Amino acid sequence: MRKYVIMGVQGSGKGTQALMLAADLDLEHISVGDIFRWNVQHHTKMGAQVRRVMLEGELVSDDLVESVVRDRLAEHDWNYGFIVDGFPRNRRQAEFFLESYDIDGVIHLDLPDSEVRRRVLNRRVCPNCGMNYNLMDSTPVVPGRCDVCGAELATREDDTEEALAVRLRDYHEKTDPVLALFRRKEYVFTVDARPGPDIVQKQIRESLGLPAYKPEGNPEHASA
Ligand code: AMP
């Protein structure tokens, strides 16, 4: 059983790295942002509650986020463990998480803000299968189409200059202290997120003492 948290500023490749790790180690990938986006796309009550907040790049209320995480982990479909992505994002969420669950490590993807802007503003996602692309580094074979399922690629609604500025500010104000808290408990493994996805994955495996990464077996290796 392996229980990890992956942290990093928007565009640092959290989703991609979490999926690569999850696919290979049979971990459940639990992305709070994906859960909210699913609710927005499916016009649920929760979707209506969070859509505007997300569009503006603000954080959803701690109560709602905690209940989403609690309910998701209570499904107990994670026989081999889980990797939580996008949570905790502030001190209160971190304290809730530490009180409720044991974790084996926090993977911290380190990326300078200048690189974040370049990546986020060039990010495209597949609304059908969730695959990520970056128009600078990992373009799809057929422009505008997902390599995996062929669906038309889209821009995330919150990948705008304005929303990014809010998210970066929140990250440094609220999420940096979470890293400091985890660091004190010696959970944090910091990895340089600037290289390509395969190299970042290799560094993560090495720092966590996990079996080596084999790109051939992982379809996700082409994603951003
Ligand atoms: P992400 O995909 O992780 O960038 O999340 C997209 C959006 O979902 C964020 O900009 C927030 O509005 C919301 N969100 C995701 N995770 C959290 C969290 N832990 N706390 C508060 N809001 C969150």
Side-chain angles (χ1 to χ4, degrees):
M1 174 81 70
R2 296 179 168 118
K3 290 179 270 180
Y4 299 119
V5 171
I6 190 160
M7 292 181 63
V9 69
Q10 287 73 19
S12 59
K14 291 190 302 283
T16 300
Q17 296 301 328
L19 279 170
M20 288 162 96
L21 216 49
D24 197 33
L25 301 174
D26 274 331
L27 308 179
E28 273 305 304
H29 173 220
I30 300 179
S31 160
V32 177
D34 283 352
I35 295 173
F36 288 143
R37 272 185 289 279
W38 186 93
N39 279 277
V40 170
Q41 272 160 16
H42 292 82
H43 304 284
T44 66
K45 202 171 147 199
M46 187 198 293
Q49 245 178 303
V50 299
R51 181 159 188 266
R52 179 143 302 279
V53 176
M54 288 179 76
L55 264 179
E56 287 168 3
E58 301 281 356
L59 292 181
V60 171
S61 76
D62 290 335
D63 286 341
L64 182 56
V65 171
E66 285 173 16
S67 81
V68 163
V69 171
R70 195 183 297 113
D71 291 351
R72 181 63 191 81
L73 288 172
E75 286 177 30
H76 284 287
D77 55 348
W78 35 277
N79 294 335
Y80 297 100
F82 57 73
I83 178 157
V84 175
D85 163 0
F87 177 91
R89 276 224 202 356
N90 60 30
R91 181 173 281 272
R92 179 178 141 179
Q93 293 180 8
E95 280 161 2
F96 155 81
F97 198 56
L98 286 173
E99 277 162 22
S100 315
Y101 310 95
D102 300 323
I103 44 174
D104 297 307
V106 173
I107 303 156
H108 168 222
L109 299 179
D110 191 23
L111 195 70
D113 286 2
S114 54
E115 177 65 9
V116 171
R117 290 187 75 261
R118 193 183 77 90
R119 286 195 186 184
V120 168
L121 301 177
N122 286 294
R123 173 157 67 182
R124 297 294 179 273
V125 291
C126 174
N128 185 45
C129 71
M131 188 80 166
N132 275 295
Y133 297 85
N134 188 294
L135 299 186
M136 316 287 287
D137 313 317
S138 60
T139 45
V141 177
V142 178
R145 294 265 160 207
C146 179
D147 291 346
V148 177
C149 70
E152 194 175 339
L153 299 180
T155 304
R156 259 174 60 165
E157 279 189 313
D158 56 349
D159 281 349
T160 61
E161 290 265 8
E162 298 74 21
L164 177 60
V166 175
R167 284 185 285 158
L168 277 174
R169 185 204 62 205
D170 268 352
Y171 188 83
H172 293 302
E173 272 178 30
K174 300 176 183 164
T175 312
D176 280 349
V178 173
L179 270 173
L181 182 86
F182 284 146
R183 256 196 207 103
R184 280 201 292 280
K185 299 195 176 282
E186 299 184 355
Y187 285 146
V188 180
F189 300 88
T190 295
V191 167
D192 179 3
R194 285 172 303 177
D198 286 354
I199 295 173
V200 174
Q201 180 70 197
K202 188 167 168 281
Q203 290 174 359
I204 293 175
R205 303 280 179 119
E206 281 167 7
S207 59
L208 293 174
L210 292 171
Y213 172 61
K214 296 185 195 70
E216 312 76 62
N218 293 274
E220 290 82 0
H221 81 282
S223 68

